[in-house]
Amino acid sequence: MFEKVETGITASRAPLSGTVKAGRIVRSVHIAKNPETGELVTGDIECQARQVFSNLRQALEAAGSTLAAVVQIHTYLIDRADAAGMNKVYREFFTPPYPVRATVVTELLSPGIRLEILATAVCSRD
């Protein structure tokens, strides 16, 4: 079984949990939204990526983990041209050895979203 982690980030209106924990494994999904209001943070890919990874850090800390414990990230971009800007910000939040990562260019559901991620991390405590 798994449990929903209360992260302090405004919950999605969609039928999903933003962060869950199963044993020592934490899975967390994020877009560039203001954690307090739930409103989309607009701007270029670097602005959105900073918000996405800041939200991920907040969620992982609530689950008892850290960005250093992330082992895998699925990255979804709406434009291949955003990859360089996303990678620039990614290096601000992650250092070698980097998590395993797959990047897909696709159309995302909500207008204005340039980036969505799904991260898997290991929790230091049960």
Side-chain angles (χ1 to χ4, degrees), residues 34-81:
N34 179 307
E36 295 173 6
T37 66
E39 295 296 318
L40 181 65
V41 173
T42 58
D44 65 11
I45 188 61
E46 290 183 28
C47 175
Q48 287 203 9
R50 278 189 189 89
Q51 188 64 59
V52 165
F53 294 121
S54 292
N55 290 352
L56 174 61
R57 178 175 38 220
Q58 179 177 334
L60 291 175
E61 288 173 359
S65 192
T66 66
L67 289 174
V70 173
V71 295
Q72 182 178 32
I73 296 182
H74 295 244
T75 307
Y76 303 92
L77 297 170
I78 64 160
D79 188 339
R80 179 181 311 240

Side-chain angles (χ1 to χ4, degrees), residues 109-121:
L109 289 175
S110 298
I113 296 174
R114 304 199 64 77
L115 169 67
E116 183 169 1
I117 65 160
L118 170 61
T120 303

Side-chain angles (χ1 to χ4, degrees), residues 19-30:
T19 302
V20 297
K21 185 174 162 187
R24 295 183 58 223
I25 303 300
V26 180
R27 305 277 318 247
S28 195
V29 64
H30 296 280

